[in-house]
Amino acid sequence: MGLNFPAFSQTTYQTPPQAIADLVNAPSTPSVSFSKNGDWMMLLERADNPSIEELAQPELRIAGMRINPATSG
């Protein structure tokens, strides 16, 4: 009686459908913050998702932080 695990039989990298890839890679919508008296408005933009190359970099895990030893970031 062999076990059949189809989810584990995938051996090649697969890309998602183009609609999903476009959604993930779309620029993020900026946030808005106002000063207490309403005189100033600030648009806050977030960094995009990191690339595969960035995620594959070696990292040090110290006190819950992830530090890239090549950039100290």
Side-chain angles (χ1 to χ4, degrees), residues 7-57:
F8 298 117
S9 64
Q10 176 183 332
T11 58
T12 61
Y13 179 79
Q14 295 182 352
T15 58
Q18 189 61 44
I20 300 295
D22 292 343
L23 181 65
V24 169
N25 294 324
S28 59
T29 304
S31 300
V32 177
S33 180
F34 293 95
S35 63
K36 288 183 181 181
N37 60 7
D39 290 343
W40 295 93
M41 179 179 81
M42 181 170 44
L43 292 176
L44 305 168
E45 294 183 1
R46 294 179 287 161
D48 292 333
N49 293 328
S51 67
I52 295 294
E53 290 80 19
E54 289 179 66
L55 292 173
Q57 294 291 317

